[in-house]
């Protein structure tokens, strides 16, 4: 196989977690652990001893795994990281595409979106939609923001709640703003907790949204969805093929959900199961691992990263 361009369509960065969700604390501790909603968890790998999930450590992982660029999204459980991500984009403009985030839990976030657009460093805005059940994606303020994004060619990175709970709302957004580029995350939550993806087909309704011209699917966190199955994630491969059967392989993009997923596996393993699969063609792998993301996110010139062999090889 020819050398692949690899782009990560779903990752996270933060200087420190220091926030709350539903009144419960989320706070970085030592040795990669965080206090998370009442319990101590291994939030990031233990070598991140200070709790800082920095661009520099991520770049070291990217260089080793030959990942040319990454899309950085945001989530409420990490706290809003706009200031840090703007600085990351300033320092590493060719390696990262960063998404800003607003406080959608309170009215008045449109003005925040205007500031993100004016900032000039944010090529996307992230919405953790699964955290907004009860606050419609079709509210007047949301629609106003989507029109602003469409006007300025700012893409939308969104994660929806399990199944089809928010599909009708996003379908309305797509109809209202057909030129808005939308990346739907986590492979449509193809395996919600305690659910067999072959028994519960509602996740496919999210995938089918990518039948629209400017909508694509990114699989950030798919190794988390099938963590109990573990590497080489055969059901994840089946889900990728099933999704591609619905909307085409050119609509599916790999994402790692770094750094949380690499508490269980290495960063390279988060795409290696795709690279080594016998159920995907070389062309499938080329599209999924980089070419689809290069086109959708409009990456320009990318770095070429050599393979550095392990000392143990």
């Amino acid at each position: 196989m020819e050398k692949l361009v690899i782009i990560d369509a779903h990752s996270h960065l933060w200087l420190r977690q220091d926030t709350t969700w539903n009144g419960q604390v989320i706070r970085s501790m030592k040795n990669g652990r965080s206090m998370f909603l009442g319990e101590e968890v291994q939030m990031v790998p233990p070598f991140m001893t200070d709790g800082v999930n920095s661009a520099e450590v991520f770049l070291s992982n990217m260089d080793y795994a030959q990942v040319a660029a990454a899309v950085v999204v945001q989530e409420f459980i990490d706290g809003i990281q706009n200031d840090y991500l703007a600085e990351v984009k300033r320092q590493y403009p060719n390696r990262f595409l960063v998404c800003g985030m607003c406080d959608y839990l309170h009215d008045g976030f449109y003005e925040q979106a205007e500031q993100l657009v004016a900032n000039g460093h944010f090529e996307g805005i992230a919405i953790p939609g699964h955290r907004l059940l009860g606050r419609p994606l079709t509210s007047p303020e949301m629609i106003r923001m989507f029109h602003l994004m469409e006007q300025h060619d700012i893409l939308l990175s969104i994660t929806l709640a399990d199944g089809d709970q928010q599909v009708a709302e996003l379908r309305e957004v797509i109809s209202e703003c057909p030129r808005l580029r939308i990346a739907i995350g986590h492979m449509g939550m193809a395996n919600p907790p305690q659910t067999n993806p072959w028994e519960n087909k509602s996740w496919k309704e999210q995938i089918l949204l990518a039948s629209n011209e400017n909508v694509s699917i990114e699989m950030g966190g798919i190794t988390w969805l099938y963590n109990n199955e573990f590497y080489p994630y055969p059901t994840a491969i089946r889900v990728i093929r099933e999704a591609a059967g619905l909307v085409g392989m050119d609509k599916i993009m790999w994402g790692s959900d770094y750094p949380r997923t690499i508490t269980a596996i290495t960063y390279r393993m988060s795409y290696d199961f795709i690279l080594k699969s016998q159920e995907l063609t070389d062309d499938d792998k080329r599209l999924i691992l980089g070419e689809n993301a290069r086109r959708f996110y409009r990456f320009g010139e990318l770095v070429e990263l050599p393979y550095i062999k392990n000392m143990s090889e």
Side-chain angles (χ1 to χ4, degrees), residues 28 48 55 61 72 91 126 128 165 181 183 200:
S28 297
M48 294 183 182
N61 276 279
V72 184
Q91 290 190 56
Q165 296 178 72
R181 285 179 293 145
N200 180 1

Side-chain angles (χ1 to χ4, degrees), residues 5 7 216-217 248-254 283-299:
V5 170
I7 295 172
S216 288
I217 306 295
M249 198 65 77
D250 62 332
K251 288 298 189 94
I252 311 298
M253 304 179 292
W254 167 70
D283 196 48
D284 292 339
K285 297 169 186 178
R286 179 181 64 81
L287 292 173
I288 293 169
L289 291 176
E291 290 302 329
N292 290 339
R294 190 212 291 255
R295 182 190 70 254
F296 179 82
Y297 294 104
R298 301 177 183 168
F299 280 101

Side-chain angles (χ1 to χ4, degrees), residues 48-217:
M48 294 183 182
T49 55
D50 57 2
V52 176
N53 171 30
S54 71
E56 288 73 24
V57 172
F58 190 20
L59 281 169
S60 181
N61 276 279
M62 290 167 63
D63 289 352
Y64 173 74
Q66 297 177 281
V67 174
V71 178
V72 184
V73 303
Q74 296 197 55
E75 232 276 32
F76 284 132
I77 63 172
D78 301 326
I80 294 177
Q81 301 289 329
N82 293 334
D83 290 345
Y84 179 53
L85 295 189
E87 180 59 30
V88 167
K89 184 65 178 182
R90 278 191 289 268
Q91 290 190 56
Y92 310 105
N94 298 324
R95 301 301 299 275
F96 294 111
L97 183 155
V98 300
C99 296
M101 188 170 71
C102 308
D103 180 6
Y104 312 111
L105 297 172
H106 300 93
D107 295 340
F109 59 81
Y110 178 82
E111 286 72 20
Q112 298 170 30
E114 284 187 310
Q115 292 171 12
L116 292 174
V117 171
N119 181 283
H121 290 99
F122 298 101
E123 296 160 271
I125 290 179
I127 297 182
H130 60 305
R131 309 275 184 201
L132 298 175
L133 289 173
R135 297 186 67 88
L137 301 173
T138 53
S139 71
E141 190 169 24
M142 277 287 190
I143 294 297
R144 188 181 176 205
M145 183 180 76
F146 294 141
H147 277 298
L148 175 73
M149 293 167 64
E150 184 182 40
Q151 177 185 349
H152 291 273
D153 196 24
I154 302 295
L155 68 91
L156 170 63
S157 173
I158 189 166
T159 300
L160 299 178
D162 296 354
D164 59 1
Q165 296 178 72
Q166 294 173 303
V167 166
E169 292 178 18
L170 191 56
R171 189 180 295 121
E172 185 175 333
V173 171
I174 294 167
S175 178
E176 180 75 20
C177 302
R179 292 181 292 107
L180 177 64
R181 285 179 293 145
I182 303 174
I184 299 173
H186 295 316
M187 192 58 93
M189 288 298 291
N191 185 22
Q194 311 303 319
T195 302
N196 185 324
W198 314 114
E199 294 175 356
N200 180 1
K201 302 290 188 179
S202 62
W203 64 275
K204 293 184 179 180
E205 295 303 313
Q206 292 192 37
I207 304 300
L208 285 168
L209 291 171
S211 300
N212 294 277
E213 180 180 2
N214 291 313
V215 182
S216 288
I217 306 295

